[in-house]
Amino acid sequence: MILDAKIPEGPIEKRWQNHRFNLKLVNPANKRRHHILVVGTGLAGSSAAASLAELGYRVTTICYHESPRRAHSIAAQGGINAPKNYPNDGDSIYRLFYDTVKGGDYRSREANVYRLAEISNNIIDQCVAQGVPFARDYAGMLDNRSFGGAQVSRTFYARGQTGQQLLLGAYQALSRQIAECTVQYWPRREMLDLVLIEGQARGIVARDLVTGRIESHAADAVILATGGYSNVFFLSTNAKMCNATAIWRAHKRGALFANPCFTQIHPTCIPLSSDHQSKLTLMSESLRNDGRIWVPKTAGDMRPPNGIPEDERDYYLERLYPSFGNLVPRDVASRRAKEMCDKGYGVGATKLAVYLDFTETIERNGKEWVAEKYGNLFDMYQQITGENAYEAPMRIYPAAHYTMGGLWVDYNLMSNIPGLYVIGEANFSDHGANRLGASALMQGLADGYFIIPYTIGDYLAGTGRKPVDTSHAAFKDAERGATAMTDRLMSIRGRKPVDEIHKAFGRVMWEYCGMGRSESGLKAALERIPEMREEFWREAIVPGKPDDFNQELEKAHRLADFLELGELMVRDALHREESCGGHFREEYQTAENEALRNDDKFSYAAAWEFKGVGEPAELHKEPLTFEYVKPSQRSYK
């Protein structure tokens, strides 16, 4: 299989502009003849559906919530990047491009990243026009703050609820189109299969989560905007309904899955306090702007944090990385926190935490200043832990967060399956081996508002698609397959709840394919995961009925996919004999314990082709070339 990324020629700053001009267009009268199906209604999905409908296409969108407002995009707290250079501190499109390629540890496509940086300025203008209440300075101008991996202030924010405010902007645009009947909206549905006709994506099969009915939706093209797969670890910062089913079922239909082992660990999360927890809670990376991270200099120091004098504290990020300090990228900050805890310097009851301290900032600027910028985060921390972070430091520890891997797409955001587009976190395209903070919202809205409306027209303007509807045999076959899968899950007569099996599986994934990975650990995981998959199909219990509202059945569908995806993640991590970004193979590190890449052997996107459950996937490589940002050992000192 030849992977053609369709990257345009020419100077990088002109590629997107020239490419748009060369794309085929669909004239306004013809757009209403084309039907596009959008799966997912987070930032990427809602913005895409609203934009395409505004252009005149007929759009259907499905969502597994009752409202798009519940998409996990609302959980993004800290901000969205754009190089407006309002602070006049030296920012530019090129600098954002450079920081993003470097932050991804040179495992992303230059052309995609430059386009993302270029478009990001338009996103801010779009969102301000929608009424998104970005923070403003005393003069009324849009405010900025810093984020990890950058030495400039380019992050626009709305206190600690930026994702929610951006999603409301996209939701109102989508709602307008729903009211105009240009978008048909189906809530409480979950995609279970992709339907291919003559090799092209022509629709999906979904389950009505309220009635249990299996139904089909036909279209001329399908867009997957279904987010990431960090819940493979069971404990993550993701909402519990976040899953991999849509992209995994598309993968089993032939869509290549790229870089599945590239998962991000976020350094600023509330630590695990009980074995009964079902998820972890993120504390925004923006807190690292004004909070200082430290541990006691003496291992096992049990004194309360306010009782430890300043000269007995180790502000280890400031010590190790004097240039970036507490604002090093997420992968670096996470590894250093784990390292400190592993050496016995951890704090709290579990010793798996470090301090995030605002004492100095409160003394300098006052509590009201901190509350104005971060108040809702401090409130959330107190509600969860019962502790007042204005009076004593927060305790934080790394947790599974974002996934850089996803379905392989070309420059047009189309997968290797014609007519199947993948946007936002569901694709692999922009972040390489590590995502910089405040770039997830940027990618989701860039894909939805400013890229897919152009590139999907190029496909729809082509010839060769016959009109189809859900009476086609391919839809009936897919419906039978989805029904058979559901019946098989319901027929398991075990004794273990799905969550119990998922939790045990998540421990295996975290232990062997989490923050630290090794050849021996990954091989042990490859032995254990098939056993756990067999245990699931033998020992799980799925109560209730298939033709009813049944959340245990939903969990079972998702865990069945995670048990297969997890094996691919481990195989991908094992084959990549290097460390890069969030993929840290313990055998491959510098003398200073930093990630050690092998550019000669692994400077490529690893795109895997499904060959059967339990069978090794086939590897296809998309070579990565770097004309503008030359690979080097990342340094944030």
Side-chain angles (χ1 to χ4, degrees):
M1 183 181 297
I2 299 174
L3 296 181
D4 180 8
K6 297 183 174 63
I7 298 173
E9 299 292 336
I12 198 165
E13 64 273 9
K14 297 289 186 182
R15 287 181 184 177
W16 175 233
Q17 179 181 340
N18 293 339
H19 186 65
R20 282 186 302 171
F21 180 78
N22 291 317
L23 290 171
K24 298 185 184 75
L25 298 176
V26 180
N27 78 54
N30 285 342
K31 284 176 181 170
R32 68 178 66 97
R33 300 175 184 172
H34 293 294
H35 184 196
I36 301 170
L37 176 62
V38 182
V39 184
T41 54
L43 277 179
S46 288
S47 59
S51 300
L52 292 166
E54 182 73 27
L55 287 171
Y57 294 106
R58 291 184 294 118
V59 178
T60 294
T61 184
I62 74 165
C63 170
Y64 58 48
H65 294 298
E66 71 279 3
S67 168
R69 289 178 298 174
R70 293 195 62 202
H72 189 62
S73 300
I74 68 166
Q77 299 166 343
I80 177 171
N81 287 329
K84 291 282 194 180
N85 196 33
Y86 288 161
N88 198 30
D89 56 359
D91 204 5
S92 65
I93 291 172
Y94 195 90
R95 189 176 294 277
L96 176 54
F97 158 65
Y98 175 88
D99 288 345
T100 305
V101 173
K102 176 184 175 182
D105 218 350
Y106 307 95
R107 290 295 176 262
S108 53
R109 286 195 200 125
E110 281 192 332
N112 284 64
V113 176
Y114 192 91
R115 176 176 63 182
L116 179 63
E118 179 183 359
I119 287 173
S120 62
N121 283 329
N122 297 337
I123 297 172
I124 303 304
D125 298 337
Q126 166 86 2
C127 294
V128 169
Q130 290 177 327
V132 173
F134 286 122
R136 294 180 180 267
D137 61 21
Y138 181 77
M141 305 299 289
L142 292 175
D143 200 8
N144 291 113
R145 58 187 178 201
S146 300
F147 248 68
Q151 292 179 300
V152 296
S153 294
R154 63 164 66 104
T155 304
F156 295 78
Y157 64 98
R159 297 184 77 187
Q161 51 188 234
T162 313
Q164 179 178 353
Q165 299 301 330
L166 291 172
L167 183 61
L168 287 172
Y171 169 67
Q172 71 181 11
L174 176 60
S175 295
R176 176 176 176 270
Q177 298 301 326
I178 294 172
E180 294 286 336
C181 298
T182 56
V183 172
Q184 189 176 30
Y185 172 64
W186 293 100
R188 305 296 290 149
R189 266 79 174 171
E190 181 152 40
M191 172 179 161
L192 295 183
D193 206 353
L194 176 71
V195 177
L196 304 182
I197 298 175
E198 297 180 352
Q200 299 173 325
R202 298 306 302 269
I204 68 165
V205 166
R207 179 175 180 269
D208 185 322
L209 299 181
V210 177
T211 68
R213 187 170 69 93
I214 302 296
E215 58 189 33
S216 291
H217 299 269
D220 295 308
V222 177
I223 299 173
L224 299 186
T226 51
Y229 49 91
S230 272
N231 276 346
V232 70
F233 295 103
F234 186 75
L235 286 174
S236 82
T237 66
N238 285 198
K240 289 306 294 179
M241 287 184 72
C242 293
N243 64 86
T245 290
I247 57 174
W248 188 251
R249 304 286 171 93
H251 172 61
K252 294 175 79 168
R253 286 291 184 181
L256 300 182
F257 207 118
N259 301 335
C261 78
F262 285 174
T263 56
Q264 182 173 77
I265 310 300
H266 197 294
T268 318
C269 300
I270 298 178
L272 179 70
S273 61
S274 166
D275 190 51
H276 301 292
Q277 278 184 239
S278 60
K279 75 175 299 295
L280 298 172
T281 303
L282 174 69
M283 288 285 101
S284 170
E285 180 177 326
S286 63
L287 293 170
R288 292 198 278 148
N289 270 294
D290 296 295
R292 301 180 70 192
I293 295 173
W294 63 276
V295 294
K297 287 184 177 179
T298 303
D301 193 332
M302 298 294 291
R303 289 176 293 175
N306 292 338
I308 300 176
E310 188 73 15
D311 61 354
E312 296 181 31
R313 302 179 178 187
D314 180 11
Y315 295 92
Y316 58 90
L317 291 178
E318 298 172 30
R319 171 172 57 82
L320 294 169
Y321 308 100
S323 292
F324 282 74
N326 295 299
L327 290 177
V328 293
R330 292 173 174 178
D331 62 315
V332 177
S334 295
R335 283 197 295 274
R336 295 291 82 82
K338 180 179 185 296
E339 182 179 75
M340 289 297 167
C341 293
D342 288 348
K343 290 180 178 179
Y345 297 98
V347 301
T350 65
K351 299 300 181 184
L352 292 176
V354 299
Y355 288 127
L356 177 60
D357 195 340
F358 271 76
T359 302
E360 183 179 298
T361 301
I362 292 173
E363 291 175 352
R364 182 177 63 249
N365 296 329
K367 178 180 175 180
E368 289 185 3
W369 184 92
V370 173
E372 184 178 344
K373 296 186 74 172
Y374 308 110
N376 63 307
L377 298 171
F378 277 65
D379 292 344
M380 185 163 60
Y381 183 84
Q382 185 164 17
Q383 289 170 9
I384 293 172
T385 66
E387 300 172 8
N388 188 335
Y390 294 107
E391 298 176 357
M394 292 181 181
R395 286 173 291 106
I396 58 169
Y397 192 70
H401 179 54
Y402 187 89
T403 51
M404 288 75 66
L407 293 188
W408 182 91
V409 293
D410 62 20
Y411 189 72
N412 292 329
L413 304 184
M414 186 163 73
S415 73
N416 58 296
I417 296 177
L420 177 64
Y421 289 80
V422 191
I423 61 177
E425 191 180 357
N427 75 31
F428 90 106
S429 64
D430 291 354
H431 304 297
N434 177 62
R435 177 177 66 80
L436 292 184
S439 289
L441 305 181
M442 179 173 65
Q443 186 205 350
L445 292 180
D447 288 357
Y449 281 137
F450 296 107
I451 300 176
I452 202 69
Y454 287 96
T455 59
I456 202 168
D458 184 69
Y459 172 73
L460 295 173
T463 59
R465 282 180 314 282
K466 300 175 183 177
V468 299
D469 58 35
T470 57
S471 65
H472 192 283
F475 284 95
K476 300 308 176 185
D477 288 343
E479 288 178 12
R480 282 191 288 271
T483 301
M485 175 71 166
T486 298
D487 291 343
R488 185 185 178 197
L489 290 168
M490 295 299 303
S491 68
I492 308 173
R493 292 290 183 263
R495 293 176 175 270
K496 291 187 177 181
V498 172
D499 276 348
E500 181 180 333
I501 299 172
H502 192 175
K503 184 180 292 186
F505 171 61
R507 290 194 193 101
V508 171
M509 291 299 298
W510 179 254
E511 177 70 23
Y512 298 123
C513 199
M515 266 197 289
R517 304 162 180 186
S518 67
E519 180 180 9
S520 59
L522 292 166
K523 288 182 175 178
L526 282 180
E527 292 181 2
R528 185 75 182 97
I529 291 172
E531 295 172 357
M532 302 193 81
R533 191 162 56 237
E534 291 179 11
E535 178 188 11
F536 166 75
W537 288 107
R538 184 181 65 250
E539 299 294 338
I541 180 171
V542 184
K545 302 176 181 179
D547 54 352
D548 201 352
F549 178 68
N550 189 337
Q551 290 188 304
E552 290 304 307
L553 176 57
E554 294 172 35
K555 292 178 184 178
H557 268 290
R558 295 163 185 170
L559 181 54
D561 295 324
F562 280 140
L563 285 162
E564 296 170 5
L565 169 58
E567 185 171 354
L568 181 62
M569 291 170 62
V570 172
R571 289 189 186 279
D572 187 39
L574 183 60
H575 110 275
R576 191 172 282 276
E577 297 175 341
E578 64 167 353
S579 291
C580 55
H583 168 63
F584 192 73
R585 284 283 298 269
E586 294 169 354
E587 305 96 325
Y588 306 102
Q589 53 184 304
T590 68
E592 297 176 319
N593 306 117
E594 304 290 357
L596 183 62
R597 298 191 319 274
N598 185 341
D599 293 328
D600 291 338
K601 288 185 65 177
F602 295 101
S603 188
Y604 58 77
W608 297 90
E609 181 181 359
F610 182 75
K611 291 295 182 181
V613 177
E615 299 296 324
E618 182 179 349
L619 174 62
H620 304 277
K621 301 177 182 179
E622 181 203 331
L624 298 173
T625 58
F626 297 91
E627 303 174 61
Y628 295 87
V629 184
K630 298 300 181 183
S632 61
Q633 177 63 44
R634 277 196 309 167
S635 175
Y636 292 95
K637 293 181 179 294

